[in-house]
Amino acid sequence: MDPSLLDDLVAANRILAEHGVIDAYGHVSMRSPGNPKRFFLARAIAPQTVQAGDIMEYDLDSRPIDARGDSVTERFIHSEIYRARPDVMSVVHNHSPSVIPFSVTGVKMRALFHMASFIGDGLPVFEIRKVKKGSDLLVRDPRLGAALAKSLGKEAAALMRGHGSVTVGENLQRAVGRSVYLEMSARMQMQAMLLSKRITYLDTSEVKASAPVQDYKRAWPMWREKALARAKAERR
Amino acid sequence: MDPSLLDDLVAANRILAEHGVIDAYGHVSMRSPGNPKRFFLARAIAPQTVQAGDIMEYDLDSRPIDARGDSVTERFIHSEIYRARPDVMSVVHNHSPSVIPFSVTGVKMRALFHMASFIGDGLPVFEIRKVKKGSDLLVRDPRLGAALAKSLGKEAAALMRGHGSVTVGENLQRAVGRSVYLEMSARMQMQAMLLSKRITYLDTSEVKASAPVQDYKRAWPMWREKALARAKAERR
Amino acid sequence: MDPSLLDDLVAANRILAEHGVIDAYGHVSMRSPGNPKRFFLARAIAPQTVQAGDIMEYDLDSRPIDARGDSVTERFIHSEIYRARPDVMSVVHNHSPSVIPFSVTGVKMRALFHMASFIGDGLPVFEIRKVKKGSDLLVRDPRLGAALAKSLGKEAAALMRGHGSVTVGENLQRAVGRSVYLEMSARMQMQAMLLSKRITYLDTSEVKASAPVQDYKRAWPMWREKALARAKAERR
Amino acid sequence: MDPSLLDDLVAANRILAEHGVIDAYGHVSMRSPGNPKRFFLARAIAPQTVQAGDIMEYDLDSRPIDARGDSVTERFIHSEIYRARPDVMSVVHNHSPSVIPFSVTGVKMRALFHMASFIGDGLPVFEIRKVKKGSDLLVRDPRLGAALAKSLGKEAAALMRGHGSVTVGENLQRAVGRSVYLEMSARMQMQAMLLSKRITYLDTSEVKASAPVQDYKRAWPMWREKALARAKAERR
């Protein structure tokens, strides 16, 4: 892969960890620009330690093309979303701490902040119990991945009950930016709900005007530069 | 411009980012000390990376005098407030996270902490929907800027529904300090409202005694020195 | 002791402090791998400053084998849990800030996040007042330690009213990981309870599937490496 | 003054700033060990930048013995408490963010966490309005200082409505430790009150057993060492 794209993915791992959106167990992938049936994802290590050499290539059955270590158990989240959503070029799975309370209450996350307008008038929640009873909540196989992809539908993100969430984008920057601002928006919505029962959310026309143009382009170069500087310092 | 004033503006960008008051998308400007029809504002980059060379000069139609890169889309916030408010020498636009919940609930922010006494007995909220339906919430043109300036009126700050806020001051230090303490005061008011329905806010005479003298002068030299040390370190 | 195990315990002290789970007064111990009637615990200093030379060995009466300074007052928490629970190889005592509110309200902590599934359908709360009236809340002697161990029963953690909590594990990594995720889960549960009265907790079968396999293995190497790098830097 | 005591006071300034208990406007003083009618307090700069050379000596009328710059406006907080309370050897004034919401609601802070047992069954709140109407809330003269000292009475701390709080101790370490844990306890109490209407606070006998022995001795050496290392690094 183009070294600059590889660097983008290294940076994405670290940016998400820095923002507290993923802990040691989140992951972010990128569909191969050259082959839509392949994607790139780091081996099973903590995202904030990822270097270019940790990135592995997978096919859409989540089989590693070039194994460089253990694979992430939940890689099926990625492969099945790429299979179901040709428009998606990047997928993030996280344990975003302010999003999880929404996942277990049935309270809908809704767009109230223009930086997270992609939330629209509500995000779906994946209830793994409907597909598999007595699970450990992990998306451990293609069937669970496909069920999650089905819950996600055409949305930009889906919550996973008692577990976290998944965000997607037409490019890596958007999937990363959406994860960062989904967490912020969750915190803001919680606070707004404590302040009042009457909240003005973005209306449909505002979502339509805002979401497609929000590409987090002003944040990305700064995030990337800082992340790669840390990666470089740690390689020494 | 005087290099020391330029450094003030560089520092202001970084101070606001450090305090979590602006993310990559906030901005801070300063009216030209020599020409009241001009103002200074960094090009469209993340504020925490701003250096002196990124500062551009604008006229009150938000046209760059000396383009050094892309202009911030929402520069009309600045130009229209400078036009409407001859007393204002500095403007900050932010996505202050604890202020946004107030912007979407209609719950009034009120002065409850002497460091943010400028809030007085309530801040106005700019509802962009009243001026433009189906917007992406951004202040993209002079008409929206003028409407925001009108909402602001003679106040020191205004909330922007679903978006953030704007704070102004008779000098840069005050506009920056007000942004920092507006965020803190929002958090405190939220907590006070959860604790009790009866809150003792600053009364009119207390606001009148406190707000005009609060200039954040003890914080500024420390904030400035640390910010410029970081700026210098990053230039190497 | 094996130097690598000693390093594990040094790292554990620092990891818990870094995560804000223990302040200067928490502590973490490890049962001796060679002698089940002995355990290792640092002398009475702030955990984030612990080095290998600060680790002391104790017997199950909490008598130091090789005194290298003052012993922690509450070492009886450790000795009595090791006595009562042969399966436990590591004990953490902390002042975990989001857990304490649960300890004083009688509101049950329950598993709502798969990373803290060990919480199961509720954690016991140790009420020291039932054993000793007018105490300073510290577990200052074997009798109080035994009472705490009895409250803990067969669980993975117990809250201590107005004081903190204790977490245990079949190995050090698990006791540490459980402390970190107990704090996160407490915060999430509080937020979920503010959002709604109907919360979907992990059900019994999900707890059974998840808790025994959750060993925090992906986080540990990163946590350990960073902690030991700091320890080394401070020794210079 | 003994250089080691001077270092203690330098460290105290920085420790409180590091913990987010004081912003640029808080201050901490120490009564002179040699002369009970004198005390030491830094000049009017941000506490986190204080060096030994910034410390000034004052008499109990808050007149500087050896002016080395501007005096803190609110030095009368210190002089009047030292005058009224011969047992007090150190005073901290802060804008502790989680304490302020209690100061404006009339909700009593009570001891619920053994590390802040000094709170006892409630802290007094100083309402400046009862002494001076239309003030800027600052303790600008001996009369206001004396009124605050009267509100404080024999307690270890008092809240100041819409402003912050003051904590005192028989030594510097205790005044500093109490400020740090007052902030934590405020946050915990707020959370406990949101979880339930029935909270188990420390009872009178527990407060009596705990408060007099709580001297924050395990935290202090670590806090001090880190603070002085930073002070030294900044002097270079």
Side-chain angles (χ1 to χ4, degrees), chain C residues 124-176:
Chain C
V125 179
F126 173 60
E127 171 50 277
I128 197 170
R129 219 178 270 171
K130 288 185 181 166
V131 195
K132 186 179 177 183
K133 297 214 178 292
S135 79
D136 62 0
L137 281 83
L138 301 185
V139 178
R140 288 186 171 277
D141 59 43
R143 191 175 65 104
L144 292 169
L148 169 60
K150 203 179 156 193
S151 283
L152 174 64
K154 298 181 175 179
E155 300 296 331
L159 279 57
M160 301 163 73
R161 192 266 308 162
H163 181 165
S165 63
V166 64
T167 60
V168 302
E170 305 87 337
N171 55 59
L172 180 72
Q173 291 77 351
R174 200 167 264 182
V176 169

Side-chain angles (χ1 to χ4, degrees), chain D residues 9 12-13 16 22 26-31 39-41 74-83 85 87-94 148 152 156 160 165-176 179:
Chain D
L9 189 52
N13 273 278
L16 290 164
I22 56 177
H27 21 92
V28 47
S29 70
M30 183 165 58
R31 195 195 287 266
F39 67 98
F40 294 95
L41 174 68
E74 299 190 285
R75 57 197 182 276
F76 306 99
I77 293 174
H78 303 265
S79 53
E80 295 303 323
I81 290 175
Y82 288 126
R83 195 191 305 276
R85 288 276 300 269
D87 60 312
V88 166
M89 292 301 283
S90 178
V91 176
V92 175
H93 166 57
N94 62 56
L148 169 60
L152 174 65
M160 301 164 74
S165 63
V166 64
T167 59
V168 302
E170 306 85 336
N171 55 57
L172 181 72
Q173 290 77 348
R174 201 166 263 183
V176 169
S179 291

Side-chain angles (χ1 to χ4, degrees), chain D residues 59-77:
Chain D
D59 66 19
L60 293 191
D61 294 320
S62 271
R63 278 179 306 221
I65 306 303
D66 57 345
R68 300 182 177 194
D70 292 338
S71 287
V72 166
T73 306
E74 299 190 285
R75 57 197 182 276
F76 306 99
I77 293 174

Side-chain angles (χ1 to χ4, degrees), chain B residues 3 92 116 129:
Chain B
V92 175
R129 220 178 270 170

Side-chain angles (χ1 to χ4, degrees), chain C residues 4-5 33 44 54 67 76 93 110 144 165 180-181 189 199:
Chain C
S4 162
L5 286 176
D54 300 313
F76 307 98
H93 167 57
R110 291 185 58 191
L144 292 169
S165 63
V180 170
Y181 283 96
Q189 185 175 340
I199 299 176

Side-chain angles (χ1 to χ4, degrees), chain D residues 91-121:
Chain D
V91 176
V92 175
H93 166 57
N94 62 56
H95 297 167
S96 199
S98 307
V99 174
I100 292 177
F102 284 92
S103 82
V104 298
T105 51
V107 175
K108 242 189 186 183
M109 282 199 68
R110 291 184 58 189
L112 63 63
F113 174 35
H114 76 303
M115 295 297 295
S117 52
F118 69 88
I119 296 173
D121 67 351

